[in-house]
């Protein structure tokens, strides 16, 4: 799990404990951090988890086969056509757009 996810979840937990709602929390976080760092729906999911007295900031284990992503394939596609969008690369490799974005950084 990335440290960035835990960082934002810690902030969400802080505002949850201060009695803020999901809308207020998402706004406060995006006022300080870049747009898209969190969104209201994500904050609502974490608030629900905290309301259920689950304060773990880590993702739950998921069933299914882990996705193997070949960074070289992504790099090759970008080199062959730098104008490809992340969505186009994701569709070509049959992976999620966020997986492409994560492997570009």
């Amino acid at each position: 799990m990335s440290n960035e996810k835990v960082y934002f979840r810690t902030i969400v937990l802080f505002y949850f404990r201060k009695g803020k709602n999901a809308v207020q929390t998402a706004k406060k976080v995006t006022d300080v951090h870049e747009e898209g760092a969190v969104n209201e729906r994500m904050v609502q999911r974490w608030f629900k988890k905290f309301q259920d007295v689950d304060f773990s900031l880590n993702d739950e284990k998921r069933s299914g086969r882990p996705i193997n992503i070949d960074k070289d394939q992504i790099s090759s596609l970008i080199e062959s056509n730098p104008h490809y969008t992340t969505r186009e690369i994701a569709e070509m490799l049959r992976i999620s757009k966020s997986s492409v974005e994560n492997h570009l950084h």
Side-chain angles (χ1 to χ4, degrees):
M1 162 151 338
S2 76
N3 289 335
E4 187 174 85
K5 283 184 178 181
V6 173
Y7 171 76
F8 286 116
R9 290 171 185 176
T10 302
I11 294 170
V12 170
L13 176 59
F14 171 79
Y15 284 116
F16 172 80
R17 288 187 170 158
K18 286 191 62 95
K20 302 294 182 192
N21 65 37
V23 173
Q24 293 168 323
T25 299
K27 174 147 178 33
K28 287 185 176 289
V29 173
T30 55
D31 283 350
V32 175
H33 299 283
E34 76 267 1
E35 191 70 31
V38 300
N39 60 53
E40 286 179 35
R41 182 68 194 122
M42 186 222 60
V43 174
Q44 288 170 346
R45 282 194 309 270
W46 282 95
F47 271 37
K48 171 72 173 108
K49 185 176 176 173
F50 299 149
Q51 288 167 349
D52 293 340
V53 195
D54 180 355
F55 298 105
S56 168
L57 300 177
N58 296 315
D59 287 326
E60 299 294 322
K61 297 277 186 199
R62 297 183 188 186
S63 63
R65 189 173 141 212
I67 298 172
N68 293 324
I69 299 172
D70 187 349
K71 280 183 150 183
D72 293 334
Q73 281 183 311
I74 296 171
S75 297
S76 295
L77 286 171
I78 293 169
E79 288 172 14
S80 71
N81 183 352
H83 300 289
Y84 278 140
T85 64
T86 54
R87 183 174 313 262
E88 291 170 325
I89 293 170
E91 288 173 1
M92 286 185 264
L93 298 177
R94 296 182 186 171
I95 59 176
S96 70
K97 183 177 166 249
S98 62
S99 294
V100 174
E101 292 167 347
N102 290 338
H103 282 79
L104 292 176
H105 303 289

